[in-house]
Amino acid sequence: MSWAAHQFEVYAVQAHLPKKMRGKISFWAIFLGDFTPDFLSKFWVYGITINGRHYGSDVPHKWHRGWPGMGITHTLFMGILLTAAFWLWKRNRAFAIGYLLGYAAHALTDVNDSVGTILLFPFTTLNWTVQTWAYAATIEGGKYLDAAAYYSSLGLVMDVFWLVVVLISWRCLTRDYWRTQVVVADPKVWAWFGKWLPERGLLALYRATFFYGLCRMISWSTWAHVVAEPVINGVKRRGYPFDLSWTGPWWIGARSLPHVNPWIVLPVTLALLGAVYFAVAKLWEPMGRAEEHKRVPRPTQPGAG
Amino acid sequence: MVTSGAVSSPEVPAESAGGPSDLDFRGSRRLAGPEEWFWYVVAAVSYILLGIWHKFLLNWFVGPVWLVAVVVIGPAVWDRIRGLRRRRGDRA
């Protein structure tokens, strides 16, 4: 799984919207779309322990990404389904498109760990994985071991990559950008928050996901490499060792599920990302017309009533 | 005021050519430049340090609330302390 990458990619999507959509896509929809897959599936991955009894999935990686399991939450199919449901309900283009882009970003990013996602569900239930780093969520290790493994492997590089993408597009974090591109696309939501928060609070709220991603990345990395004292192969160490090799780190068994050949995954993922952007670009105007059609009240029939 | 249909967004007053005005739509002070950086760094350093030893703080709810709280409450408290000091100084 990815950690802070999911926070950073929200801003990466926001900053790289197609030109005609700039200032017209809901930031909160991108956030919610990116948030939904883990929100629906992750609570049971680590589970909770009460009075020594563990409540959670028996096989975390299968629950999180497999089929049968909640792996469906990490598919474009589910993203499209939820987007379509929302569109049919509200006819809100700014939200629907933003939600789909956020959802797609999450599902596509997660092909990088050793479990991957059932990307082409329902056409195949095989997982699609590049196996860049080890998926390490286990019942015994919980969140701590998962974090230690992620931030000792190429997972850390993934987080840093998305951080750099956002920093290159740093303007998306400025107050001017927020005023001219974000607030105008989501006036209702910002107005609602504006009842309680001053402008500096609203701006902080916009930047908060980036802040959280950056802080958790530093905090977990520091803990894993400076504070923790793990025993690995019977040897007590100060900090978990780094291993930036493929499917690392070596000190944890990478979880896996039946999957397609990893070599085809990256090109297919990039093609799907392109297809999503192409589809939303094509749907943009028709959805706008449909939204307008719904907003404009229909004239009553002459003589009616 | 930015509007969409019948709904109003938080009022975002036009900025003068000289730069942003000091007060926002609620009459609260805007942050800019080094002061803005200061409060964000305070929020980040405190959250990171506490997060290293108290992992339950590192979640998607506490993180954003932490930042917003520091950026909203911090300057307000600071302004109040400065105001009190000034009043005491005036009386003296």
Side-chain angles (χ1 to χ4, degrees):
Chain A
M1 62 184 78
S2 301
W3 286 55
H6 290 317
Q7 278 80 61
F8 299 144
E9 69 197 10
V10 171
Y11 297 88
V13 170
Q14 170 70 43
H16 294 93
L17 290 169
K19 208 170 183 179
K20 62 183 171 184
M21 298 180 197
R22 285 179 199 160
K24 293 172 184 165
I25 293 283
S26 161
F27 169 78
W28 291 109
I30 300 172
F31 167 78
L32 278 176
D34 200 282
F35 184 68
T36 303
D38 279 347
F39 180 73
L40 293 177
S41 61
K42 215 168 171 183
F43 68 99
W44 211 236
V45 170
Y46 303 120
I48 50 167
T49 303
I50 301 171
N51 292 332
R53 180 166 179 180
H54 181 77
Y55 298 89
S57 55
D58 293 331
V59 188
H61 64 282
K62 192 163 185 197
W63 162 268
H64 190 193
R65 303 279 187 74
W67 179 261
M70 292 298 277
I72 190 174
T73 59
H74 285 65
T75 61
L76 287 180
F77 172 74
M78 187 70 159
I80 291 167
L81 215 62
L82 289 172
T83 302
F86 187 83
W87 168 250
L88 292 173
W89 177 36
K90 285 287 185 187
R91 287 280 193 279
N92 184 331
R93 178 178 68 168
F95 190 95
I97 298 285
Y99 187 83
L100 180 62
L101 291 175
Y103 207 107
H106 189 120
L108 296 175
T109 306
D110 274 351
V111 300
N112 280 285
D113 63 42
S114 61
V115 174
T117 63
I118 45 175
L119 199 56
L120 292 192
F121 182 91
F123 303 109
T124 169
T125 55
L126 283 174
N127 280 57
W128 292 66
T129 164
V130 187
Q131 301 186 316
T132 316
W133 60 84
Y135 181 106
T138 58
I139 295 173
E140 313 78 47
K143 199 170 192 174
Y144 283 61
L145 188 61
D146 192 10
Y150 182 80
Y151 284 115
S152 301
S153 69
L154 287 171
L156 174 61
V157 177
M158 185 66 162
D159 275 10
V160 172
F161 166 77
W162 282 106
L163 173 63
V164 169
V165 169
V166 178
L167 291 180
I168 288 171
S169 325
W170 59 271
R171 280 191 179 83
C172 74
L173 294 169
T174 61
R175 191 160 71 96
D176 257 4
Y177 183 93
W178 171 73
R179 287 162 62 101
T180 58
Q181 306 282 311
V182 177
V183 174
V184 290
D186 250 339
K188 279 186 190 177
V189 182
W190 291 108
W192 188 81
F193 280 120
K195 288 179 189 172
W196 289 280
L197 292 172
E199 191 191 274
R200 63 176 187 266
L202 297 176
L203 183 55
L205 191 62
Y206 167 63
R207 292 165 172 163
T209 303
F210 176 81
F211 168 87
Y212 168 54
L214 184 64
C215 291
R216 81 191 291 221
M217 183 178 91
I218 297 172
S219 218
W220 277 111
S221 300
T222 307
W223 167 79
H225 299 292
V226 179
V227 179
E229 294 182 338
V231 177
I232 298 173
N233 294 342
V235 180
K236 190 172 179 182
R237 296 166 175 267
R238 168 62 77 174
Y240 287 88
F242 276 107
D243 176 12
L244 299 184
S245 64
W246 212 253
T247 326
W250 57 266
W251 43 266
I252 196 158
R255 269 57 183 173
S256 186
L257 289 170
H259 55 80
V260 300
N261 185 335
W263 286 101
I264 66 167
V265 174
L266 197 58
V268 169
T269 304
L270 291 174
L272 283 172
L273 181 64
V276 168
Y277 269 84
F278 180 77
V280 297
K282 283 284 170 199
L283 287 170
W284 183 249
E285 276 84 18
M287 286 174 82
R289 285 194 292 273
E291 186 178 340
E292 199 60 37
H293 184 70
K294 196 201 167 195
R295 273 202 188 145
V296 177
R298 285 174 206 166
T300 50
Q301 295 278 329
Chain B
M1 174 88 70
V2 182
T3 59
S4 171
V7 182
S8 307
S9 76
E11 202 162 301
V12 186
E15 290 177 354
S16 63
S21 57
D22 280 350
L23 301 181
D24 68 6
F25 63 99
R26 293 172 66 99
S28 290
R29 201 159 58 79
R30 287 194 171 106
L31 299 178
E35 194 198 5
E36 186 175 35
W37 275 99
F38 172 80
W39 288 112
Y40 276 80
V41 169
V42 165
V45 170
S46 57
Y47 187 59
I48 288 167
L49 289 178
L50 279 168
I52 291 171
W53 282 279
H54 302 287
K55 297 288 181 302
F56 71 94
L57 293 172
L58 295 176
N59 67 59
W60 64 269
F61 181 75
V62 174
V65 168
W66 192 279
L67 175 67
V68 173
V70 170
V71 168
V72 171
I73 298 169
V77 170
W78 178 243
D79 287 349
R80 181 154 286 205
I81 292 169
R82 264 199 323 192
L84 284 174
R85 272 194 200 150
R86 201 173 299 147
R87 260 176 269 152
R88 271 185 209 151
D90 290 347
R91 262 183 265 153

